[in-house]
Amino acid sequence: AGSPPGAIRAILDRSSWPLDRVYFAPEDAIEAVHHPTLPGEPPMSTPIRVVHYINQFFGGIGGEEQAHVGLSVRRELVGPGRALQAALGDSAQIVGTLICGDNRVAENEAAAAAAIAAEISTLAPQLLVAGPAFGSGRYGLACALACRAAGTVGVPALTAMHPDNPGVEANR
């Protein structure tokens, strides 16, 4: 893993860095979310289409007792997606939320990645945002998997988690 050149704008420039790797946002990425155009560039005329990936807990389904649930799609803001949308403002629009149980992802990564990639293709975003996973290990691994799945269908992705999360080390 590494940091992509620039921030949000570079994420959308698919020719600037490979999509088969998981990148972790540099600390200045939050500033880029608030100001998604680079100096001297005209503002974007249409909002960036974003899909948000979260686990069953943040999706409001339940805790560990619901970690087995399969992938579901909601075409609305869910949980931390509300704060993400507020931070993005008019520069982006969350067009869907993907929710999946941490155990479901951990127990069958290939099937989970295929399902996530298929839903991303259906929703046709310009960017996937996964998490934030904080220090939660299985959630961090699932967020990284969602980012890799997005890359398989040509969609750049961004995730956030604590540096000690196993999702970081597993994707270096």
Side-chain angles (χ1 to χ4, degrees), residues 32-141:
V33 167
H34 291 288
H35 305 285
T37 56
L38 298 174
E41 289 185 345
M44 294 188 302
S45 60
T46 59
I48 299 167
R49 292 177 52 85
V50 176
V51 166
H52 189 205
Y53 175 87
I54 55 178
N55 72 357
Q56 83 285 345
F57 176 78
F58 288 104
I61 296 170
E64 287 300 314
E65 75 283 358
Q66 294 298 319
H68 67 280
V69 299
L71 185 67
S72 62
V73 180
R74 296 192 192 159
R75 292 183 180 260
E76 62 185 337
L77 300 175
V78 178
R82 292 179 184 93
L84 176 60
Q85 183 63 67
L88 294 170
D90 294 337
S91 66
Q93 178 184 7
I94 297 175
V95 297
T97 303
L98 304 180
I99 304 167
C100 195
D102 290 333
N103 288 349
R104 176 61 66 99
V105 175
E107 292 169 1
N108 196 339
E109 290 185 6
I116 291 167
E119 293 298 345
I120 290 169
S121 292
T122 298
L123 293 166
Q126 295 168 284
L127 176 67
L128 172 85
V129 174
F134 307 104
S136 178
R138 285 176 300 139
Y139 188 22
L141 292 167

Side-chain angles (χ1 to χ4, degrees), residues 3 36 59:
S3 295

